[in-house]
Amino acid sequence: PPGKKVLIVYAHQEPKSLNGSLKRVAVEELSKQGCSVTVSDLYAMQFEPRATRNDIVGCLHNSEEFNYGVEAWEAYKRGGLSSDLIEEQKKVQEADLLIFQFPLYWFSMPAIMKGWMDRVLVQGFAHEFPNCYDSGLLKNKLALFSFTTGGSKEMYAKGGISGDIRYLLWPMQHGIMHFCGVKVLAPHICFAPEYVSEEKRKEMLIAWAQRLKTLWKEEPINCSPEWYFK
């Protein structure tokens, strides 16, 4: 609906890839609906994935012994995080929906996107014990993981060699997003695009565009372990 804000965090090196096309389709379709769409193109931005001392501007809270979690938390509170982090947090803060678009690497997200999670979702900004899970600080936001796999759908079935694809979503959707209070929409998975015809890849893009048309009517998945492991 008009007025909704969407942040697409995108991790692929090649704009002509299927991931690049999925991202482009999302930008076009959501913009057409009157949403305002921002893209963080992590590779193009040369986003720094490593959590280091450089993320803290000025003096450390404890200069004797460096504890990243504590330092980032303290820096967040006094506005002392590095500008690239402040920039990303502002995008997250404004977004109603976060879409993560990436190829699955080793049952997980690419390092550059994991680094985005590590550095951006700081304590005090995204969570603050006991304010986590349903009371996480980013509640009232939605997230959707849209990704491509190398393996086929059969490989990622419950009895398949790689196990149920949902198992892999537990750390990403539950351990990160739900922990921060974000509600999660069903993932959008394009299985083994490299091994299918050009025609099939076009169908994948059409299916994504179709889903986006009614996305705002969708209910989030059930946030319990049962969804992942039933």
Side-chain angles (χ1 to χ4, degrees):
K4 291 279 191 192
K5 288 192 158 73
V6 182
L7 171 62
I8 301 175
V9 182
Y10 163 70
H12 199 288
Q13 308 86 336
E14 173 52 67
K16 295 194 198 85
S17 64
L18 184 69
N19 273 277
S21 301
L22 288 159
K23 183 259 297 172
R24 196 178 63 249
V25 164
V27 172
E28 285 167 7
E29 184 51 51
L30 292 164
S31 302
K32 218 186 291 175
Q33 296 174 17
C35 301
S36 74
V37 185
T38 304
V39 178
S40 285
D41 181 340
L42 301 180
Y43 286 104
M45 291 156 68
Q46 299 193 343
F47 186 80
E48 167 61 82
R50 296 168 299 181
T52 68
R53 163 75 179 87
N54 298 340
D55 294 350
I56 287 89
V57 176
C59 294
L60 290 177
H61 179 69
N62 174 1
S63 50
E64 298 299 298
E65 194 179 320
F66 185 72
N67 176 323
Y68 184 84
V70 169
E71 294 297 343
W73 182 26
E74 292 294 336
Y76 173 74
K77 288 190 286 196
R78 63 177 167 80
L81 286 172
S82 60
S83 58
D84 58 338
L85 294 190
I86 291 172
E87 187 60 30
E88 293 307 298
Q89 288 176 345
K90 192 149 76 230
K91 295 177 195 173
V92 171
Q93 196 64 66
E94 289 176 356
D96 299 297
L97 167 66
L98 309 167
I99 295 177
F100 296 96
Q101 182 64 59
F102 59 98
L104 196 69
Y105 279 9
W106 294 116
F107 278 25
S108 186
M109 58 187 94
I112 199 166
M113 183 176 278
K114 178 56 164 56
W116 185 95
M117 305 281 182
D118 292 349
R119 296 178 63 229
V120 174
L121 302 175
V122 168
Q123 183 171 358
F125 169 67
H127 58 90
E128 178 119 55
F129 193 81
N131 293 324
C132 51
Y133 290 119
D134 290 343
S135 58
L137 303 180
L138 301 181
K139 54 183 183 291
N140 307 328
K141 296 187 189 301
L142 292 169
L144 192 165
F145 286 82
S146 170
F147 59 97
T148 57
T149 67
S152 66
K153 194 167 186 170
E154 293 67 47
M155 288 170 77
Y156 283 111
K158 205 168 197 130
I161 188 128
S162 299
D164 191 334
I165 192 81
R166 290 184 178 195
Y167 302 158
L168 318 188
L169 292 162
W170 171 254
M172 301 191 252
Q173 293 187 158
H174 186 79
I176 304 176
M177 285 295 118
H178 183 202
F179 187 81
C180 297
V182 180
K183 291 185 178 59
V184 179
L185 296 173
H188 198 84
I189 309 167
C190 293
F191 289 99
E194 285 169 87
Y195 304 105
V196 301
S197 64
E198 191 51 46
E199 200 43 51
K200 276 265 181 289
R201 280 197 292 273
K202 286 212 176 76
E203 282 169 23
M204 288 175 173
L205 294 176
I206 292 164
W208 178 224
Q210 279 306 115
R211 180 176 175 192
L212 288 162
K213 287 190 197 320
T214 54
L215 194 69
W216 301 101
K217 296 194 175 80
E218 290 186 18
E219 285 297 315
I221 62 169
N222 159 4
C223 281
S224 67
E226 284 83 66
W227 189 87
Y228 298 90
F229 302 110
K230 64 168 185 250

